[in-house]
Amino acid sequence: MNVIQIRATRVVAAGLSALFFLASCTQEQQNVISRDIQNWTGTNGVLEFYAGDKLVRRFLKIDKLSTAMGTQDKVPRPYRFGYGVMDENLNFAADPGEKKVYFEISDYASNYLFFENPR
């Protein structure tokens, strides 16, 4: 076998191993793996806040939303947080002058939508 055939064999073997590993995982384990990959690579997320049916605030370029955890007790807190560019004019673009900011979302009364930016 030449060098190209050896490399191709290794790639196929690695792919089959990964496929076997994922197939043997439960759905929950696959979801955890997927979230870990997204946390590593980022998602280019968009977070929108609504007052009724009216869009009132949008954040762009969010890599992830994190659940707050207690410092001492490590118990999840009832809010999420992250960093994103506040889209002040709601034009779906990070314009000059629009800054990356920290935000928090309450689990109790916030009407929000988080999704991957389609653009």
Side-chain angles (χ1 to χ4, degrees):
M1 289 201 324
N2 63 30
V3 175
I4 295 174
Q5 289 174 325
I6 292 172
R7 286 183 182 167
T9 303
R10 287 181 183 169
V11 168
V12 169
L16 289 174
S17 297
L19 185 62
F20 176 75
F21 172 73
L22 289 175
S24 65
C25 292
T26 65
Q27 184 65 43
E28 178 63 25
Q29 289 169 326
Q30 290 175 15
N31 289 343
V32 168
I33 292 168
S34 176
R35 284 190 300 269
D36 287 344
I37 291 170
Q38 283 184 341
N39 287 345
W40 182 60
T41 61
T43 59
N44 191 24
V46 176
L47 178 67
E48 295 181 335
F49 286 92
Y50 291 87
D53 62 348
K54 179 179 168 56
L55 175 63
V56 293
R57 181 81 65 224
R58 180 184 288 142
F59 295 92
L60 306 170
K61 298 184 177 182
I62 299 170
D63 59 348
K64 67 178 177 177
L65 291 178
S66 299
T67 300
M69 300 293 280
T71 306
Q72 301 295 322
D73 59 9
K74 303 295 184 204
V75 174
R77 299 297 188 233
Y79 68 94
R80 309 218 183 304
F81 66 93
Y83 293 88
V85 176
M86 189 181 344
D87 186 12
E88 295 176 12
N89 56 5
L90 303 176
N91 68 347
F92 235 103
D95 297 320
E98 293 179 338
K99 305 287 184 198
K100 189 170 194 173
V101 296
Y102 171 83
F103 57 84
E104 294 181 358
I105 309 163
S106 169
D107 284 352
Y108 298 121
S110 297
N111 189 10
Y112 68 93
L113 179 64
F114 180 68
F115 58 94
E116 186 173 2
N117 192 339
R119 297 181 184 174

